[in-house]
Amino acid sequence: MAQVTDHGGGVRSIRVPIPDNPLGHTLVYVVDTDRGPVLIDTGWDDPASLDVLAAGLAACGTSVAEIHGVVVTHHHPDHHGLSGAVREASGAWIAMHAADISVVRRMREYRPELWFTYMADKLAAAGAPEEHVAPLRTARPRALPGLSPALPDREIVPGDLLELPGRRLRAIWTPGHTPGHVCLHLEEDHPARLPGRGRLFSGDHLLPEITPHIGLYEDPDDATVTDPLGDYLDSLERVGRLGPAEVLPAHQYAFTDASARVRALLGHHEERLTGLLALLRVPLTAWQLAERMEWNRPWDRIPYASRNIAVSEAEAHVRRLVKLGRAETVPGSDPVTYVAV
């Protein structure tokens, strides 16, 4: 059964399940416009998830076939997965930031075995032991979630109002979780007259209890050394200054006092950076850092795929320290090791 919440002012959310994932569900928002309903995100590409989305839309008095457009906060499969199915059923447009459209295009062009090779090389360079890397080198080509996503046909331009007749929805570029993540500011009075500036559809950028994953921006064809954590922290401060009355995130539940949540997240990452500096009193690889960092469970209980994510997050944090001049790479180290300055 679909779980639908009416947030007032022509905005509702549908809890669309994510199969075999501790997050449980994605909150897909249905925004009424003068041209028909528009979705913010769509959920995971799975038949059961599509059934729940369809049931939720029916509970909202509409259907998949009546969707006017889809606004995607970012390219991850629990947000963009069903966009293609929605467009096929309705003819709806799909909008996404240019940076994430580039990721989608790249995913559609790359064969799975190339991704396995790329990830194996990345992990080896980060200092992962051969027994961890070996399964990627011998993996058989297979379909992976998110590797054949729908190609968006509209580009979200930061700072612009989206073309939603009868609504004022402004795009705010908030890179960090992905290079093209966007939040969406509904510049309308809160239906319950809560104090603040409208409502913010925050995607994964700002969540009430979870710290979103900040890892590396993966691009096999681009050797640019990016700073995703720096991007995220800058984006957090930008959203904090916005001061929305209410935040409508893609997971968990709606909440108020965005500024307090922003301060908590900024403090969390500063504590994590300080902890990494303490670890880097001796040279360590990104893998060794990940082994020693605090996670929600001991390292030996973290599943294989989640270890890859943890290493990416460790490297994003140490890159930030290097950019701030608080750590540096050890010359000639292979794999690369880092040490506090």
Side-chain angles (χ1 to χ4, degrees):
M1 295 294 294
Q3 297 186 44
V4 177
T5 300
D6 189 345
H7 298 275
V11 176
R12 286 151 291 186
S13 63
I14 304 169
R15 293 166 60 106
V16 177
I18 310 172
D20 303 318
N21 189 294
L23 277 175
H25 64 271
T26 301
L27 292 172
V28 172
Y29 291 93
V30 186
V31 180
D32 293 339
T33 80
D34 292 346
R35 292 285 301 277
V38 167
L39 300 184
I40 297 179
D41 293 334
T42 55
W44 192 271
D45 186 7
D46 180 81
S49 301
L50 180 57
D51 288 345
V52 171
L53 177 62
L57 289 171
C60 293
T62 185
S63 69
V64 176
E66 295 176 9
I67 298 302
H68 172 59
V70 175
V71 183
V72 185
T73 60
H74 60 295
H75 72 81
H76 287 165
D78 56 323
H79 297 258
H80 181 44
L82 284 171
S83 300
V86 171
R87 181 167 61 188
E88 183 176 351
S90 64
W93 47 261
I94 301 173
M96 185 183 287
H97 186 280
D100 273 18
I101 291 177
S102 294
V103 176
V104 168
R105 186 174 288 110
R106 190 165 61 246
M107 286 180 170
R108 291 167 59 89
E109 293 171 354
Y110 262 72
R111 299 190 307 275
E113 58 268 29
L114 295 179
W115 278 104
F116 287 131
T117 299
Y118 171 71
M119 291 306 301
D121 292 343
K122 288 282 290 183
L123 285 164
E130 182 56 30
E131 59 266 25
H132 183 89
V133 178
L136 289 170
R137 300 198 191 283
T138 58
R140 291 183 176 182
R142 58 188 175 88
L144 296 174
L147 280 189
S148 297
L151 186 64
D153 43 71
R154 289 192 182 184
E155 181 181 320
I156 295 175
V157 179
D160 283 4
L161 288 171
L162 277 75
E163 295 182 20
L164 272 61
R167 309 307 298 248
R168 287 187 60 85
L169 190 67
R170 192 175 302 277
I172 303 172
W173 185 33
T174 51
H177 185 57
T178 71
H181 190 290
V182 293
C183 292
L184 302 153
H185 187 205
L186 190 59
E187 298 179 339
E188 302 169 7
D189 290 339
H190 191 281
R193 303 298 179 184
L194 296 180
R197 301 178 57 200
R199 290 182 280 181
L200 185 73
F201 299 98
S202 65
D204 280 1
H205 183 69
L206 196 62
L207 303 170
E209 297 177 356
I210 300 170
T211 303
H213 166 66
I214 308 299
L216 302 182
Y217 301 149
E218 304 293 359
D219 186 348
D221 298 322
D222 189 349
T224 303
V225 179
T226 56
D227 180 20
L229 181 56
D231 293 344
Y232 179 66
L233 298 177
D234 290 345
S235 300
L236 271 180
E237 292 181 344
R238 186 159 59 251
V239 166
R241 290 191 295 269
L242 186 66
E246 187 176 27
V247 179
L248 302 176
H251 303 288
Q252 298 189 305
Y253 52 84
F255 63 99
T256 57
D257 203 348
S259 296
R261 184 59 183 147
V262 165
R263 289 194 300 271
L265 287 167
L266 290 172
H268 164 78
H269 285 288
E270 184 56 39
E271 289 179 8
R272 176 146 280 199
L273 291 171
T274 300
L276 287 185
L277 282 175
L279 292 173
L280 289 172
R281 287 192 295 261
V282 297
L284 296 172
T285 65
W287 178 274
Q288 290 168 329
L289 274 174
E291 287 181 309
R292 291 160 174 78
M293 290 169 67
E294 290 188 11
W295 305 103
N296 60 359
R297 68 190 82 178
W299 182 255
D300 60 5
R301 291 174 51 198
I302 295 178
Y304 181 90
S306 297
R307 289 189 181 192
N308 298 340
I309 294 172
V311 172
S312 180
E313 187 153 330
E315 192 160 356
H317 279 72
V318 77
R319 281 190 185 185
R320 184 64 184 157
L321 289 173
V322 171
K323 185 167 184 177
L324 292 172
R326 298 163 72 182
E328 62 185 10
T329 58
V330 176
S333 57
D334 184 18
V336 176
T337 58
Y338 303 86
V339 67
V341 174

